[in-house]
């Protein structure tokens, strides 16, 4: 269990990543719905900008807000046994503050903490990847207590804001070539490498581990094929034959 002093320190000096030099206000920001007694849950693919969007939302918060990144190494081992201490520290040092939790999947049974915060009348916003917060499972964890919002990489309009460009055939082609993942756009020299790593993470850490798959080679081949033939008609039987996949799930 964590020491109370550790939790006090973490909440007083949260590990908040500095805002990117070319931060783009996300268009979805104005449409995010909030409701009393409900947590706002930001989900989306890895590296699409959930944490940045959460910080943009926090800066708009009416009143006081406290932020906690559950990936903070100082919180390693945080679990249900620490929730009562965390709630006590919040009541003592951050009374009435809205609570923003980043990467909630890092805390086992995090939904119990969120429900306790909501029961205390606090506004709550959490982030997590699609792999850990799929809609149907989230509904079972926070039944009737959440509003879910899907976060995507940059749209074409947001891409133009990032690149400071104008709508044209050339910038549209650039957007289709480069994509909208903020990290890859900010590191042009490493952009393609970052995207390859992102694809591997999604396939290996999200899909494979989630479904306990054993044959990852065919799955990666299938993913690469689908990405290379976006928008084209396909047949499961033809895919299985062309990619030498042993069988097609019925």
């Amino acid at each position: 269990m964590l020491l109370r002093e550790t939790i006090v320190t973490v909440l007083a000096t949260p590990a908040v990543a500095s805002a990117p030099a070319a931060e783009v206000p996300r268009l979805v920001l104005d449409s995010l719905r909030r409701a009393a007694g409900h947590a706002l849950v930001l989900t989306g693919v890895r590296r699409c900008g959930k944490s940045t969007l959460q910080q943009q939302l926090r800066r708009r918060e009416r009143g006081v807000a406290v932020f906690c990144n559950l990936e903070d190494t100082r919180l390693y081992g945080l679990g249900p046994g620490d929730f009562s201490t965390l709630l006590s520290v919040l009541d003592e040092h951050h009374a009435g503050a809205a609570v923003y939790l980043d990467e909630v999947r890092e805390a086992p049974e995090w939904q119990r903490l969120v429900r306790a915060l909501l029961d205390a009348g606090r506004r709550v916003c959490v982030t997590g990847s699609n792999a850990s917060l799929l809609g149907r499972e989230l509904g079972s964890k926070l039944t009737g207590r959440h509003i879910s919002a899907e976060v995507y990489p940059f749209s074409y309009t947001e891409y133009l804001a990032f690149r400071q460009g104008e709508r044209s055939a050339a910038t549209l082609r650039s957007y289709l070539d480069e994509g909208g993942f903020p990290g890859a756009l900010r590191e042009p020299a490493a952009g393609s490498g970052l995207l390859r790593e992102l694809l591997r993470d999604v396939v290996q850490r999200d899909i494979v581990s989630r479904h306990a798959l054993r044959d990852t080679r065919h799955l990666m081949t299938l993913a690469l094929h689908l990405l290379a033939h976006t928008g084209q008609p396909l047949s499961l039987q033809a895919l299985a034959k062309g990619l030498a996949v042993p069988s097609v799930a019925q």
Side-chain angles (χ1 to χ4, degrees):
M1 296 179 66
L2 298 178
L3 295 175
R4 181 182 180 87
E5 290 74 16
T6 298
I7 296 177
V8 171
T9 301
V10 169
L11 294 181
T13 57
V16 182
S18 58
E23 182 176 331
V24 174
R26 300 306 301 269
L27 297 179
V28 71
L29 194 59
D30 292 327
S31 65
L32 292 176
R33 296 181 294 119
R34 306 291 290 269
H38 292 68
L40 176 61
V41 181
L42 304 178
T43 65
V45 68
R46 293 172 180 269
R47 314 304 302 168
C48 68
K50 296 183 296 295
S51 296
T52 298
L53 173 62
Q54 187 185 49
Q55 291 305 315
Q56 292 177 355
L57 185 64
R58 185 172 72 96
R59 292 196 289 268
R60 289 190 175 191
E61 181 69 51
R62 299 188 301 274
V64 182
V66 61
F67 172 78
C68 184
N69 179 1
L70 297 184
E71 285 188 322
D72 191 326
T73 55
R74 295 172 295 176
L75 293 177
Y76 179 77
L78 178 74
D82 302 299
F83 291 167
S84 60
T85 303
L86 176 57
L87 293 168
S88 175
V89 170
L90 283 168
D91 288 340
E92 182 178 344
H93 296 276
H94 307 277
V99 179
Y100 285 71
L101 302 174
D102 197 12
E103 300 297 355
V104 290
R105 71 180 186 279
E106 296 297 324
E109 299 186 53
W110 57 267
Q111 64 273 17
R112 292 172 52 188
L113 173 61
V114 172
R115 285 199 299 264
L117 291 168
L118 293 173
D119 290 341
R122 292 182 183 268
R123 291 161 65 87
V124 181
C125 175
V126 305
T127 73
S129 68
N130 278 345
S132 58
L133 295 179
L134 285 178
R136 60 180 180 275
E137 297 175 356
L138 183 60
S140 66
K141 293 177 178 179
L142 287 175
T143 306
R145 304 297 302 276
H146 75 282
I147 296 175
S148 192
E150 184 84 6
V151 183
Y152 298 95
F154 285 162
S155 66
Y156 177 48
T157 299
E158 291 167 330
Y159 173 84
L160 290 177
F162 177 84
R163 290 295 191 210
Q164 298 182 344
E166 301 292 336
R167 290 181 179 274
S168 67
T171 58
L172 178 57
R173 282 194 296 270
S174 296
Y175 173 62
L176 294 176
D177 287 338
E178 295 182 301
F181 283 94
L185 293 174
R186 293 192 179 98
E187 300 291 340
S192 59
L194 291 174
L195 291 176
R196 283 193 294 270
E197 288 299 324
L198 176 61
L199 175 61
R200 277 193 285 268
D201 283 347
V202 169
V203 172
Q204 297 289 345
R205 297 175 60 186
D206 295 341
I207 300 174
V208 171
S209 61
R210 178 181 183 79
H211 298 284
L213 301 178
R214 289 175 294 179
D215 190 349
T216 62
R217 178 173 60 87
H218 287 107
L219 181 61
M220 180 60 77
T221 300
L222 175 61
L224 292 172
H225 178 86
L226 293 176
L227 288 172
H229 298 83
T230 300
Q232 297 184 17
L234 57 85
S235 159
L236 291 181
Q237 295 295 337
L239 279 176
K241 183 178 179 179
L243 302 177
V245 176
S247 64
V248 178
Q250 300 299 319

